[in-house]
Amino acid sequence: MAANIHLPNSSPTLSSHVLPHRTLPFLHPPMTLSKFQPLRRLSHHLRRRGLAVSAAAVRQDTALWTPTPLVKISPAAESLFNITIDVAESPELAASYTKAGQYLQLRLQEPESKPSFLAIASPPSIAASKGVFEFLIKSVPGSTAELLCGLQKGDVVELTPAMGKGFDIDQISPPDNYQTVLIFATGSGISPIRSLIEAGFSADKRSDVRLYYGARNLNRMAYQERFKEWKSSGVDIVPVLSQPDDSWTGESGYVQAAFARERRIHSPQSTGAVLCGQKQMAEEVTSLLVGDGVSSEKILKNF
């Protein structure tokens, strides 16, 4: 998300091309000091611009990185892993996570490692009570995520503080005014949705809370062991498989298509939504919701 900016060896300037002041009296009359004002202004502008770029690069390079050990790595589904990182010894890092949907940067302690942006899967209360951050990581060949999923307990990684606005639940509060909340997630996009559900947003005080959760098949669907708990909190789960086997009797295809078939928005003015996952899914679901009269301000994203 952020490009690396290299510090220049020196700030750009034209001052080396301007004649020293002591030579000016020997110039022919047409060459007065006023002739050099544009060059001086340009030199000053470029010097300031160079300093601004340098300052930005310094801010970029001096992001606060905190070494933290891995507590646990375990399979969550096919190509997906649960990663637990200890932040108990870094109270400021733990305290930076205040709202479901926030994310951070993670990097390995290797010269070639590029930082990855990761949504935090556990709710903020877990950081406060247990001193850990939990993540759901998709292992992509050749990525930092693949290297991360290959580490072991005790290995050290580096984290930045949590960032981002998270899911602004105040937009769909109080529950009495927003009885319908539609949640959409695909693949590892379920990670911050888990945080939202387990952090609580008064789902049990709303009449219609649905989670449309898309994956290729059941082997690719993480958190199935949490479905019972989520349902008991008031969330109706609608699994949607794009490539199911012959025994599957539930919703198939893509999440947006499954929602389009159901719709069931009785009162758009009292409906909110939360989206996380593939860009195309988010765009198409947003179009469907707005077309049905749901306010775009009530469609929450974490970025």
Side-chain angles (χ1 to χ4, degrees), residues 5 7 13-14 24 37 98 116 120 132 176 180 190 203 207 251:
I5 302 177
L7 285 168
T13 176
L14 288 183
L24 293 178
Q37 295 307 319
T98 60
S116 289
I120 306 173
V132 298
D176 288 346
T180 298
I190 193 65
S207 61
E251 290 287 345

Side-chain angles (χ1 to χ4, degrees), residues 117-278:
F117 284 85
L118 304 175
I120 306 173
S122 50
S125 60
I126 297 296
S129 62
K130 297 184 179 180
V132 298
F133 286 163
E134 297 176 6
F135 302 88
L136 179 67
I137 309 296
K138 182 178 181 180
S139 180
V140 178
S143 68
T144 296
E146 182 184 37
L147 297 175
L148 175 62
C149 294
L151 297 181
Q152 298 179 356
K153 178 180 179 180
D155 287 339
V156 174
V157 297
E158 296 181 341
L159 305 179
T160 66
M163 59 187 76
K165 63 182 182 180
F167 297 118
D168 188 5
I169 297 302
D170 290 343
Q171 291 291 326
I172 54 174
S173 297
D176 288 346
N177 294 349
Y178 298 94
Q179 283 291 297
T180 298
V181 175
L182 305 170
I183 307 172
F184 302 87
T186 54
S188 59
I190 193 65
S191 176
I193 298 300
R194 173 204 155 188
S195 176
L196 173 68
I197 294 173
E198 296 182 7
F201 61 101
S202 302
D204 58 340
K205 296 180 181 179
R206 306 177 195 259
S207 61
D208 180 16
V209 179
R210 282 172 267 158
L211 165 60
Y212 292 86
Y213 178 12
R216 181 178 298 178
N217 52 53
L218 286 177
N219 292 332
R220 292 286 188 101
M221 184 166 280
Y223 296 147
Q224 294 181 54
E225 74 282 0
R226 296 179 176 272
F227 286 1
K228 184 177 180 179
E229 177 186 342
W230 293 357
K231 287 180 180 179
S232 67
S233 72
V235 180
D236 183 24
I237 301 171
V238 184
V240 184
L241 305 182
S242 60
Q243 297 180 19
D245 60 28
D246 294 338
S247 64
W248 178 248
T249 58
E251 290 287 345
S252 60
Y254 293 112
V255 162
Q256 55 267 43
F259 171 63
R261 287 192 293 269
E262 279 196 316
R263 288 305 239 285
R264 287 194 292 124
I265 298 181
H266 303 297
S267 175
Q269 292 74 27
S270 62
T271 297
V274 184
L275 281 67
C276 192
Q278 295 172 340

